[in-house]
Structures are given as structure tokens and as C-alpha cells.
Amino acid sequence: MKKSVAIIGTRGYPSYYGGFETLIRQLAPYLSSQGWDVTVYGREGATKTDDPELDPTVKTVVTKGIESKSLSTLSYGLSSSVHASSKKPDVALIMNVANGYWLPILKARGIPTVVNVDGIEWERAKWGKKAKTAFKVGARLTAKFADRLVVDSRAIGQRWEEEFNRHGDFIPYGGSRPGSLAPVESLTSGTYALMVARFVPENSVAEFFDAAETIAQDWDVVIVGSSGYGGEFDDKARQLSTNSSRIHWMGHVSDDTKLFSLWQHAGAYFHGHSVGGTNPALVQAMACGAPIVARDTIFNREVLGPAGIYVAPDPSEIATAICSVLRSKDKQMELRDNAYDRQAAEYTWEIVCKAYESSLIDALGA
């Protein structure tokens, strides 16, 4: 008899919005291929139903919610949890501690839960005081009611053991090694700086924007990302691309082939994320062989190790490091090879998907 799993807390399957969605595009078909009955909960209009890689054996359910920066996760998490409780799957995989509020609903129906706790959301600069409090309470509820936890970095796991006295199964993100891709549009391989990030303060967006003006004196600069809701960072990116023919703002890129090509052909990729554990974009950049200059954080060092160059969140230091890499083809090749090797050894989807299945099976026996 098939084991059934409900996946709650992403935008759906298949979706290209962020790290959780990238994970589910890999994990849901994998679990189905291993004999699981898989249902992924999502939001209307957030998936690509015509995706040629869609696995028809993965069931999808769209529920109602409130589309806003502060209420989306909570509202969709509630409607999905209520629906899942009525169907009573063997186990539920929940993404994000904000959904900790709804774990008692699932627990009351005897449904074991595995929760990916994501990053330390209550410390992110993009959230106001009320949102930070909501995430912290959600984390406490997750610690109390979840049967098993998944942490995507060892540093995050240490925080959960210290603050909540809960152990988490360490499962990072994986990367997909693309074949040889053509450069995007009019860009020349190895001659441009690249940043890929959601426009929030903790991703060093402001610092990179300042650095971009210096870098663009000699090199092209490609910016991928947006806030998703408009605002000052989007306005600044638009201004930069208007004022300089060397700065190209592409907004959010959902085409994996295009995004992978940008990483593959970048002369230097800046990864400015400062919180959140193992970052999916960083792992995928490694799989694409991007020469990486990263903000110096415990999370980025855990993933990259010796495979990257580390800088402080200072525009001058960022610009200096990136220009140094852009000037040296030998340095680019060294960083590319190091990134390839590290990703292949520790951050593949096969490793990740097997670990998630093991965690779900352990929760069934809890």
C-alpha cells in the first residue's frame, strides 16, 4: 500500500518562485517515483501547468489565501492545513515555521509532521516588529508540535538546539549541473558581474548597487531579482540600468535555462545573502560553475568552504574583489573548478531527496 504525503507551505508544483519551490520540483517527483502518493498544496496562478517537466503523478491542490507580504504564508498555510487534515495523509511535510500555528490542526488528526524551519526569519531586516514576533511564536509552536525538524544548514541546526532544545535533520539544497549553454542575449562569457537575489536588505542589495556603479566603469553588470512588491530597491535598479548602458536589470527570471546560463558565463557572481542557512541560489550557482564572491557569513562559508572569495558588506570591498576576478581568467577558472567540485561532492539533488524521504519515514514511526 502506498504511503501518502502532503506538502504544505510552498507556492505549489511546479513553481519557480524561490528555494522551497525549487526543492519541491525535485522532491515531489522523486517521492512519487519511490512509490509515495504525493499531494502538493499551492496558490492559484503560481504554477506552470504547461511545464514540460511536470510529473503527472504528483497531485496538486490549490487553496484560498490572502495575497500580501505579511499574510500570504499564514493564510495559505491555514487553508492548506485544514484541507490536508480532512484528507488525512500518512505524513505531512511543512515548509516554514510560520506554519507552526497550524500544526495542532494536523496533530489533532494524528498526522505526523516534518517541518523545514527555513532561516531565522525573526531576525530578517525585511520584517517589521509584528511579523518578527509572529515568526518567533511560530518557531516556538513548531518546536513544540512538530514530530521532526529539517534544517538546511548546520549553523541553523545549532541555533535550534540552543534556543528550542530541538534537534533537526540536516538536509541542504541541491543543484542541477546544466550542459553547455549559450551566453544570454548580447553578454560575452566571462566579462560581466552578476547578482541574483530577492531585493531585501539582508541580501546586501544596497551595497551591491553602490558597487555596481564602480564596476560598470569597466565591466558589464547584470542584476537579477526584484522585491516582488515594488519599492525603493526596484526603483534604484531601474535607475541604474537607465543611467548606464553597462548595467542590465532583468527583474525576476523564472526561466531556468536563462538563469543557469547567466551563472555559467558570469565572470564573477556576487552572493550577498547574510541570513537563512544554505541558500539554494548559491548551491545552483556552484553547480553552474560560477566564480563566486560571497558576503562573509557563517552560512556562506559552510556551503562554499574554500571554493569562494569572501568580502565584507562594503561597496568598495565588493567592487575591488569582483573587478579583480573579472581581470583574471586564471582566477575565474580556479573558482569555477572549485565550485563544481564542492557542489558535486555535497549538494546534489539525489543526496537531498533521499534524506527527505528518510526523514518522512522516521516521522511515520514517531
Side-chain angles (χ1 to χ4, degrees):
M1 185 175 178
K2 277 190 174 184
K3 301 177 291 291
S4 59
V5 57
I7 300 176
I8 296 169
T10 76
R11 290 178 175 246
Y13 171 82
S15 176
Y16 290 77
Y17 179 76
F20 280 160
E21 287 74 22
T22 301
L23 166 64
I24 299 310
R25 291 205 314 273
Q26 300 289 331
L27 180 60
Y30 173 84
L31 291 174
S32 182
S33 73
Q34 299 303 304
W36 290 77
D37 187 339
V38 183
T39 300
V40 180
Y41 285 84
R43 310 177 187 183
E44 187 173 1
T47 60
K48 294 179 67 173
T49 55
D50 60 345
D51 192 321
E53 296 186 10
L54 182 148
D55 186 334
T57 67
V58 176
K59 301 181 179 69
T60 60
V61 175
V62 173
T63 61
K64 299 293 185 182
I66 300 170
E67 283 291 350
S68 77
K69 182 178 178 180
S70 58
L71 294 176
S72 292
T73 299
L74 284 168
S75 59
Y76 283 104
L78 172 59
S79 59
S80 298
S81 297
V82 169
H83 188 279
S85 69
S86 71
K87 298 300 180 181
K88 210 172 184 301
D90 293 320
V91 63
L93 173 61
I94 317 294
M95 318 303 284
N96 198 317
V97 296
N99 290 310
Y101 290 91
W102 320 129
L103 293 178
I105 297 173
L106 299 166
K107 196 171 190 68
R109 292 286 289 162
I111 303 169
T113 54
V114 177
V115 181
N116 180 315
V117 301
D118 199 18
I120 310 299
E121 290 289 332
W122 53 93
E123 292 183 359
R124 289 182 184 265
K126 70 175 181 177
W127 300 118
K129 185 176 181 180
K130 289 183 179 178
K132 289 180 179 179
T133 300
F135 276 116
K136 191 62 179 283
V137 174
R140 292 193 184 105
L141 292 168
T142 296
K144 181 176 181 179
F145 290 107
D147 292 288
R148 296 192 74 83
L149 304 181
V150 169
V151 295
D152 64 32
S153 83
R154 293 180 177 87
I156 293 291
Q158 186 175 349
R159 284 287 301 270
W160 272 79
E161 290 185 6
E162 292 172 353
E163 293 188 32
F164 303 104
N165 196 31
R166 283 295 307 267
H167 169 76
D169 299 330
F170 167 60
I171 310 177
Y173 287 92
S176 301
R177 182 75 63 90
S180 180
L181 302 171
V184 169
E185 297 166 2
S186 60
L187 297 172
T188 302
S189 184
T191 66
Y192 61 89
L194 172 68
M195 183 190 78
V196 178
R198 195 168 303 165
F199 287 179
V200 292
E202 58 264 29
N203 289 347
S204 313
V205 175
E207 293 84 353
F208 182 81
F209 283 177
D210 287 344
E213 296 183 87
T214 301
I215 299 166
Q217 293 174 14
D218 299 299
W219 309 92
D220 281 333
V221 179
V222 178
I223 300 170
V224 174
S226 69
S227 69
Y229 297 92
E232 61 176 317
F233 283 143
D234 296 74
D235 293 341
K236 179 65 173 178
R238 188 176 296 107
Q239 179 187 5
L240 286 170
S241 62
T242 299
N243 293 344
S244 173
S245 62
R246 283 187 175 273
I247 299 179
H248 315 272
W249 179 39
M250 297 187 175
H252 176 71
V253 174
S254 60
D255 180 345
D256 272 359
T257 300
K258 182 176 183 179
L259 185 58
F260 292 0
S261 173
L262 288 169
W263 272 316
Q264 189 176 86
H265 292 282
Y269 166 60
F270 175 67
H271 186 80
H273 297 62
S274 62
V275 298
T278 297
N279 184 270
L282 178 56
V283 173
Q284 187 55 54
M286 292 163 66
C288 292
I292 300 170
V293 175
R295 178 167 171 170
D296 194 353
T297 71
I298 187 173
F299 305 116
N300 292 338
R301 281 188 177 274
E302 180 181 319
V303 177
L304 266 177
I309 294 173
Y310 299 97
V311 296
D314 173 77
S316 177
E317 190 169 336
I318 293 168
T320 298
I322 287 176
C323 289
S324 175
V325 175
L326 286 167
R327 283 193 295 267
S328 173
K329 295 299 181 184
D330 288 342
K331 190 62 178 179
Q332 288 182 29
M333 185 58 66
E334 176 190 342
L335 291 172
R336 289 186 194 281
D337 289 344
N338 289 347
Y340 275 136
D341 292 345
R342 186 150 178 101
Q343 181 272 326
E346 300 192 38
Y347 298 96
T348 70
W349 284 119
E350 182 180 7
I351 293 171
V352 170
C353 290
K354 285 183 177 179
Y356 266 98
E357 183 178 27
S358 178
S359 189
L360 291 171
I361 290 171
D362 287 345
L364 284 169

